[in-house]
């Protein structure tokens, strides 16, 4: 058979505990599908499943060693493709979010605090994201990782409502716990009373 041609991976990194890895490429083979496999740098071999058109394979690596690795694809579990670089990291552990809401016009800097926000930005850019979800509709926003314990996402315009927020270091795995963020309509001030007061302060203002 013609050896597989691997053209890319998604994601290019994932948590050590386990996740789904898609290998893109192309091949033609009449071998039974149970022969399809992915092999990692530590020697672990994981069975894979292919798409109907053989243009990608999905593997599920689990309990891997933290750090840089490689992945190779085989159609017979003996002969493997050239290795592709891959990274295993500790899963993000978000603990708090601030603020808990912002206007529907967006541009609110949302800070999420926790641990293991190492990201994989040194491995590939723009993979760490925040996902805002309402009624199964997602808004995925690139995150700026400030440190291992803090990251920031700036909201974009969205309809009002309570959104569930997750963090991902690879755009695919969004670990719990989620947090709620409320998009709201900005208040409109139509009147203020009184319109003046003494320098000493103490005046009660009424906003309408």
């Amino acid at each position: 058979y013609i050896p597989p041609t691997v053209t890319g991976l998604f994601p290019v990194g994932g948590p050590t505990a386990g996740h789904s890895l898609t290998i893109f490429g192309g091949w033609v083979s009449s071998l039974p599908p149970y022969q399809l496999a992915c092999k990692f740098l530590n020697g672990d071999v994981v069975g894979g499943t292919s798409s109907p058109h053989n243009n990608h394979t999905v593997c599920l690596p689990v309990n891997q060693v933290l750090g840089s690795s490689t992945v190779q694809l085989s159609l017979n579990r003996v002969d493997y493709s050239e290795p592709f670089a891959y990274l295993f990291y500790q899963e993000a552990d978000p603990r708090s979010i601030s603020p808990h809401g912002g206007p529907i016009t967006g541009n609110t800097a949302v800070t999420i605090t926790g641990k293991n926000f190492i990201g994989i930005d040194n491995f590939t850019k723009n993979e760490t994201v925040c996902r805002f979800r309402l009624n199964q509709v997602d808004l995925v926003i690139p995150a700026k990782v400030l440190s291992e314990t803090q990251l920031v996402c700036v909201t974009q315009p969205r309809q009002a409502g309570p959104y569930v927020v997750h963090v991902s270091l690879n755009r695919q795995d969004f670990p719990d716990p989620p947090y709620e963020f409320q998009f709201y309509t900005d208040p409109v001030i139509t009147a203020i009373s009184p319109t003046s007061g003494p320098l000493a302060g103490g005046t009660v203002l009424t906003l309408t």
Side-chain angles (χ1 to χ4, degrees), residues 45-66:
V45 176
V46 180
T49 57
S50 68
S51 70
H53 302 291
N54 290 335
N55 59 5
H56 71 263
T57 298
V58 176
C59 295
L60 301 172
V62 295
N63 300 324
Q64 295 293 315
V65 177
L66 183 69

Side-chain angles (χ1 to χ4, degrees), residues 40-132:
F40 296 88
L41 185 62
N42 64 356
D44 280 357
V45 176
V46 180
T49 57
S50 68
S51 70
H53 302 291
N54 290 335
N55 59 5
H56 71 263
T57 298
V58 176
C59 295
L60 301 172
V62 295
N63 300 324
Q64 295 293 315
V65 177
L66 183 69
S68 299
S69 183
T70 59
V71 60
Q72 297 171 275
L73 181 65
S74 175
L75 303 185
N76 63 1
R77 300 197 176 211
V78 175
D79 303 295
Y80 285 87
S81 67
E82 291 296 314
F84 261 66
Y86 198 70
L87 179 71
F88 288 102
Y89 56 77
Q90 288 182 309
E91 194 165 62
D93 184 12
R95 299 292 180 89
S96 66
I97 184 173
S98 179
H100 293 277
I104 59 174
T105 52
N107 206 36
T108 300
V110 179
T111 300
I112 298 177
T113 303
K115 62 181 183 179
N116 300 334
F117 294 157
I118 57 172
I120 51 176
D121 285 352
N122 291 330
F123 194 73
T124 186
K125 295 181 178 179
N126 302 321
E127 295 301 312
T128 303
V129 296
C130 298
R131 183 183 69 189
F132 293 75

Side-chain angles (χ1 to χ4, degrees), residues 197-208:
L199 292 176
T203 304
V204 177
L205 296 177
T206 300
L207 305 179
T208 305

Side-chain angles (χ1 to χ4, degrees), residues 187-193 205-208:
V188 178
I189 299 174
T190 58
I192 181 172
S193 179
L205 296 177
T206 300
L207 305 179
T208 305

